[in-house]
Amino acid sequence: MDTFFEAIIKIKMLDKITASLFRQILTKLGSRILPIVSTLDPIKSLYKKQIANEFLRDPMNVEIILNSIIDSNKKEQRININNFLDKDQRDELFQQYIDSPKAKQSYIHLIAIERFKPDVDISTKYNASKREAQIITRSIKNDPFTFTTTVESSIVSMDRIVEENISNDNKDSRLLLQFNEKWLNKFVDYSTILQNLIYVFGIVDNNLKFTGISKNESGGFFERFLTLWGKNEYHNGEAFKNSEMVLTSKMQLYIKFLRQRGIKFESVIKWYFDTYLPKYLGIKGFYFGRFNFEDSLRSRIMMLCVNFQRILKEYQLYSESGEINSEIVDQMKVPHLNELKSLCDKKYVISGEKMQSAMQQIFSDQSSFGHISNGLSFQNELLKGVPVSCFKNFNVKELNWLTRNGFLTILKGKVYIFSEDYLVMRDLFYNDEINYFWKDSDTRECIDSKVKLGQLSFRNNLFTRKESDYIDYYYGSRFSNGLGIRNKYLHGSAENISKSQDEQNYCVLIYLFCLLIIKINEEFDHSQTLNENSLIII
């Protein structure tokens, strides 16, 4: 259909199509041609009124508008609804869609969270959120396949430091986390408290990357391929929520445990910046503001937000100039998280386009290779060698590409992948970035060779991209569905926040601050070649 209209334009026959005829075409073909005519010049200009009327004729056309926003990679293929409808008309159309019994939950969700220009009326967004909640509640109630997951954390007397047990009962899954009471009681000095977050509670992995982030391909099929995500929306699906539940449960438990022993986490954070850095690492100038522990929880949250911003500025200044001047810090803007640089030349390893294609074909559960003919997993058999005879005819093109670009090798009739290549590619595929510093010499050599080939490159930043996104989701305002803790508490928007949500936000800020400490400390470890006084020695 699009080629038909392009041909009409090319042979200059548009003047033969009257407004009345165009209206008849729209009425007959409707939604089939709206995505085409509303993006093609000069059609969208010549028949602006007719196109606008067609959009308004059926509330289900909202789906065309939203699909254009989230699906189109090319700007010229996106429908700019402002060319046809004014703000009031657009919002009224959205409201009609929200009220329609045929409306889909995923599109209602987009109306609620997507950022539009001009902004959608706040009452329309509220109505969308309310309708979405009703649909979800009804679907959960009526869906026999709905599963629930619960997490319970406790500190008990036992031999092991940490123990995890998972139990499944029909539609319920229960994760029980237990931590060694004797260990936690014995070591309550501030340094060990921070180390416990790494080695006992595991908020980072053994490469000091944050564990609260969902791994690639960790979500289910429907979440990964059928969920509609807005352009500016953080992907907080079920896999994310499960990780969040585990992390929050552990942190709330430890916060309560320390509080019962007269230790506030703010004191631990303050000790790190005000005492540990200058005394043990010789890093001066960081300052964590004073706290009054008699203040309300909400006031303490506000002070955590203020101090979080200040530490970000102090680190940025130190990374750029090697020192911290408090007067300059006072005049600085709060940096974006992806602006914060590493103190070292090689920090995180990321994949280029060819590497991403190769990893997708080798490791993805949606790969055309899938399971080879003997029923074994393709990626797991590559190290031992997969007979060429196992590959189907439709795999030949992809296999040739992988071998031609050096990702796979054929020897004596079998397809192989070198062990170091396998480890690097698998790590990148599931974890998005590799922390170069913590890899052994063989892995580094493999990475360096692929950097020279242009298959990999380095990002020299304080946080990984996913870590920056995660913090922005909770703390900042970059994502349309973000929680925006900073703005809510620092700009007078916290009146309607419940006490339980205050406690949740306090917990989030504490572990975000602890993550910041671990990341900053890692930088000083790198730059000083793992100082012997360091908190982090793996």
Side-chain angles (χ1 to χ4, degrees):
M1 189 64 72
D2 53 343
T3 54
F4 168 77
F5 283 103
E6 288 170 356
I8 291 291
I9 295 170
K10 189 172 182 179
I11 62 177
K12 300 181 179 179
M13 290 288 290
L14 274 180
D15 57 338
K16 304 295 184 183
I17 302 178
T18 64
S20 175
L21 177 58
F22 190 78
R23 184 172 63 252
Q24 293 178 43
I25 295 173
L26 282 175
T27 302
K28 187 173 182 64
L29 299 177
S31 59
R32 291 175 56 190
I33 65 169
L34 260 182
I36 302 168
V37 297
S38 54
T39 57
L40 275 180
D41 278 323
I43 291 178
K44 66 181 183 182
S45 302
L46 287 173
Y47 305 106
K48 176 180 176 179
K49 182 178 179 181
Q50 289 74 24
I51 295 172
N53 288 336
E54 182 60 27
F55 270 118
L56 294 171
R57 188 173 66 86
D58 184 358
M60 301 308 292
N61 288 329
V62 165
E63 295 180 4
I64 296 174
I65 299 170
L66 297 177
N67 280 333
S68 169
I69 292 173
I70 62 175
D71 288 344
S72 296
N73 293 320
K74 296 181 180 179
K75 190 174 181 180
E76 61 271 17
Q77 293 177 345
R78 295 177 193 156
I79 298 172
N80 184 355
I81 196 61
N82 298 326
N83 289 336
F84 309 104
L85 307 179
D86 61 32
K87 180 183 183 304
D88 290 341
Q89 289 175 315
R90 180 204 62 188
D91 289 0
E92 175 59 28
L93 185 64
F94 283 175
Q95 186 60 59
Q96 290 176 15
Y97 181 81
I98 294 167
D99 295 336
S100 170
K102 294 189 283 185
K104 299 181 179 68
Q105 179 256 323
S106 53
Y107 291 105
I108 294 174
H109 172 75
L110 289 176
I111 295 173
I113 61 93
E114 191 58 75
R115 290 172 177 165
F116 297 89
K117 291 184 179 180
D119 290 337
V120 173
D121 185 77
I122 190 66
S123 61
T124 304
K125 280 184 169 289
Y126 172 77
N127 292 338
S129 298
K130 189 175 179 181
R131 176 76 197 287
E132 181 189 16
Q134 292 171 347
I135 293 174
I136 292 174
T137 301
R138 186 169 63 248
S139 64
I140 291 175
K141 183 178 180 180
N142 297 330
D143 186 358
F145 300 105
T146 297
F147 291 84
T148 59
T149 301
T150 57
V151 178
E152 295 179 20
S153 299
S154 60
I155 296 174
V156 298
S157 177
M158 62 181 190
D159 294 330
R160 300 178 63 183
I161 293 179
V162 182
E163 189 167 311
E164 296 184 8
N165 291 296
I166 300 175
S167 62
N168 295 293
D169 180 19
N170 293 328
K171 294 168 61 175
D172 297 319
S173 177
R174 179 171 172 262
L175 172 63
L176 177 62
L177 301 170
Q178 295 180 318
F179 302 93
N180 189 303
E181 181 179 27
K182 184 177 179 181
W183 173 274
L184 295 178
N185 268 322
K186 183 177 180 180
F187 300 104
V188 290
D189 60 283
Y190 290 170
S191 177
T192 307
I193 287 172
L194 290 173
Q195 289 178 339
N196 282 341
L197 294 176
I198 302 171
Y199 302 111
V200 178
F201 293 94
I203 73 168
V204 292
D205 61 20
N206 59 359
N207 289 167
L208 299 191
K209 289 170 62 182
F210 185 49
T211 55
I213 297 165
S214 305
K215 292 182 181 293
N216 292 336
E217 300 218 349
S218 59
F221 176 84
F222 286 96
E223 179 181 324
R224 286 160 52 200
F225 300 106
L226 300 181
T227 301
L228 292 177
W229 298 103
K231 286 192 306 177
N232 303 302
E233 186 176 10
Y234 186 80
H235 292 199
N236 57 349
E238 287 306 311
F240 168 85
K241 290 173 183 175
N242 288 337
S243 296
E244 176 190 46
M245 196 174 0
V246 171
L247 179 61
T248 302
S249 177
K250 291 190 290 188
M251 285 303 301
Q252 286 177 335
L253 178 73
Y254 199 32
I255 289 170
K256 181 180 179 181
F257 173 84
L258 293 174
R259 186 187 300 141
Q260 290 171 345
R261 285 148 185 81
I263 300 172
K264 303 292 196 304
F265 244 109
E266 292 95 327
S267 298
V268 180
I269 297 169
K270 184 174 179 60
W271 167 84
Y272 174 79
F273 288 108
D274 293 4
T275 303
Y276 177 82
L277 284 181
K279 183 176 180 179
Y280 295 102
L281 296 184
I283 309 296
K284 299 178 180 179
F286 282 94
Y287 174 72
F288 187 86
R290 293 181 180 179
F291 265 84
N292 183 350
F293 294 111
E294 301 303 319
D295 285 347
S296 67
L297 180 61
R298 186 162 295 181
S299 296
R300 290 165 63 191
I301 291 173
M302 291 174 63
M303 286 305 299
L304 279 171
C305 290
V306 169
N307 279 290
F308 194 83
Q309 294 185 158
R310 184 172 186 86
I311 296 296
L312 292 180
K313 293 193 292 182
E314 289 171 344
Y315 175 80
Q316 183 184 42
L317 184 59
Y318 184 90
S319 67
E320 293 173 350
S321 64
E323 59 182 10
I324 300 172
N325 183 312
S326 61
E327 292 181 356
I328 295 176
V329 171
D330 290 339
Q331 298 174 29
M332 291 173 61
K333 292 182 179 179
V334 180
H336 295 294
L337 294 171
N338 55 18
E339 293 175 349
L340 298 173
K341 299 299 181 182
S342 171
L343 303 179
C344 304
D345 292 333
K346 298 178 178 180
K347 180 68 179 291
Y348 298 116
V349 182
I350 59 174
S351 55
E353 287 187 17
K354 282 189 175 181
M355 177 62 77
Q356 288 176 12
S357 298
M359 294 189 302
Q360 191 69 25
Q361 292 177 35
I362 294 172
F363 296 103
S364 174
D365 57 11
Q366 303 300 309
S367 168
S368 62
F369 293 122
H371 287 76
I372 52 181
S373 59
N374 59 2
L376 298 174
S377 168
F378 172 68
Q379 61 163 293
N380 293 338
E381 294 299 303
L382 277 174
L383 290 171
K384 295 185 291 186
V386 179
V388 173
S389 59
C390 289
F391 292 90
K392 312 297 184 186
N393 290 334
F394 58 79
N395 292 139
V396 172
K397 182 179 178 181
E398 289 83 359
L399 181 59
N400 288 340
W401 184 88
L402 288 167
T403 55
R404 187 170 63 251
N405 286 280
F407 297 109
L408 300 179
T409 301
I410 299 179
L411 293 172
K412 297 181 181 181
K414 286 188 175 183
V415 180
Y416 293 90
I417 186 171
F418 294 117
S419 58
E420 287 301 333
D421 289 2
Y422 177 87
L423 293 173
V424 168
M425 292 172 69
R426 193 176 189 279
D427 195 349
L428 276 171
F429 179 74
Y430 288 106
N431 299 308
D432 195 53
E433 297 183 38
I434 290 175
N435 193 332
Y436 182 82
F437 184 81
W438 298 107
K439 296 303 177 183
D440 59 41
S441 57
D442 289 340
T443 304
R444 287 191 186 187
E445 185 178 337
C446 176
I447 290 170
D448 290 340
S449 67
K450 294 189 178 301
V451 169
K452 290 179 181 177
L453 293 172
Q455 296 174 355
L456 302 176
S457 60
F458 290 105
R459 279 185 72 250
N460 298 323
N461 294 75
L462 180 64
F463 296 104
T464 68
R465 292 170 296 191
K466 286 193 172 183
E467 287 168 348
S468 294
D469 289 348
Y470 184 96
I471 296 171
D472 267 330
Y473 167 71
Y474 277 107
Y475 185 73
S477 57
R478 182 156 62 94
F479 293 103
S480 58
N481 62 335
L483 302 188
I485 292 176
R486 175 190 62 197
N487 288 344
K488 286 179 180 177
Y489 287 93
L490 294 185
H491 300 293
S493 303
E495 296 85 0
N496 296 321
I497 298 178
S498 65
K499 183 179 179 181
S500 62
Q501 190 60 54
D502 277 337
E503 293 172 351
Q504 169 83 0
N505 291 339
Y506 173 79
C507 175
V508 168
L509 282 171
I510 289 296
Y511 71 68
L512 290 184
F513 232 126
C514 292
L515 175 63
L516 179 60
I517 286 175
I518 293 170
K519 289 292 180 176
I520 288 177
N521 198 77
E522 181 192 21
E523 290 297 327
F524 295 139
D525 285 342
H526 287 201
S527 61
Q528 299 185 15
T529 319
L530 280 180
N531 185 296
E532 63 180 6
N533 292 314
S534 169
L535 282 168
I536 304 166
I537 301 177
I538 294 180

